[in-house]
Amino acid sequence: MPEALDRAVVALANFSTRLRRTRCRPEEVLVLFASCLQRSDCDRRLDEDLTNCARCGRCAVAAFLDLSEKYGVRVYRATGGRRAAARARAPAIKAIVAVACRKELREGVFACLPKAVLARTIAWPCGPCKDTTVEMDRVEEAVRWLLR
Ligand code: SF4
């Protein structure tokens, strides 16, 4: 699927969530982020428990944990589309802040329907799927908007 279409789906999801004016309690917000945001040379096993992160600050995982503590939202490192979608579809979750590449975001938006999704795109300074980065202030802005 052309990148322009991925871009359009992401923009539409963000627009429609803003239009619906979804508001949540902290525990109803799930921040889902792509596993490639963890440093590729980090040996911490985060699959079962994000708190295994030593919070050295070399990648965004520590910042996601900070975000969870600051606002009380749930955070989850997505290791596969199916698992991530199952988390997002849990009845306790009302809205999702999804942090991934545009292709994954496009697939995730459809998988999460009809829930509200605010999508944030990651950057690829080292090429696709390796040591990716994200502007955490934009992720925080999405969380704050849902909790306003
Ligand atoms: S912040 Fe440090 S310890 Fe935590 S996942 Fe990233 S590199 Fe590993």
Side-chain angles (χ1 to χ4, degrees):
M1 192 170 288
E3 194 191 318
L5 192 49
D6 292 344
R7 203 182 286 265
V9 169
V10 168
L12 196 61
N14 286 341
F15 180 69
S16 107
T17 296
R18 303 270 186 189
L19 211 60
R20 287 157 66 188
R21 307 196 61 75
T22 306
R23 281 188 194 180
C24 306
R25 295 192 303 272
E27 66 274 16
E28 294 173 325
V29 175
L30 175 66
V31 180
L32 262 178
F33 64 92
S35 58
C36 56
L37 282 158
Q38 181 182 11
R39 280 281 302 214
S40 57
D41 61 355
C42 172
D43 59 5
R44 295 286 168 154
R45 295 183 65 85
L46 307 180
D47 291 355
E48 298 304 322
D49 189 359
L50 267 190
T51 61
N52 285 335
C53 164
R55 299 173 104 155
C56 70
R58 290 190 306 131
C59 76
V61 175
F64 281 106
L65 287 167
D66 290 345
L67 197 68
S68 175
E69 287 174 5
K70 185 172 176 185
Y71 294 101
V73 296
R74 303 168 196 238
V75 292
Y76 180 67
R77 175 178 168 271
T79 50
R82 203 174 293 176
R83 275 199 209 177
R87 289 265 174 163
R89 282 199 290 259
I93 300 301
K94 191 169 167 188
I96 298 104
V97 177
V99 184
C101 67
R102 285 201 181 86
K103 176 180 168 292
E104 285 184 338
L105 288 174
R106 187 243 309 154
E107 292 168 356
V109 163
F110 289 121
C112 293
L113 282 174
K115 296 195 179 181
V117 178
L118 284 176
R120 294 292 181 261
T121 310
I122 58 176
W124 289 351
C126 305
C129 311
K130 187 182 177 197
D131 296 337
T132 57
T133 61
V134 64
E135 291 176 37
M136 282 306 294
D137 54 343
R138 296 200 63 238
V139 178
E140 183 166 357
E141 183 277 328
V143 168
R144 289 170 65 97
W145 190 84
L146 289 166
L147 300 180
R148 75 201 180 285

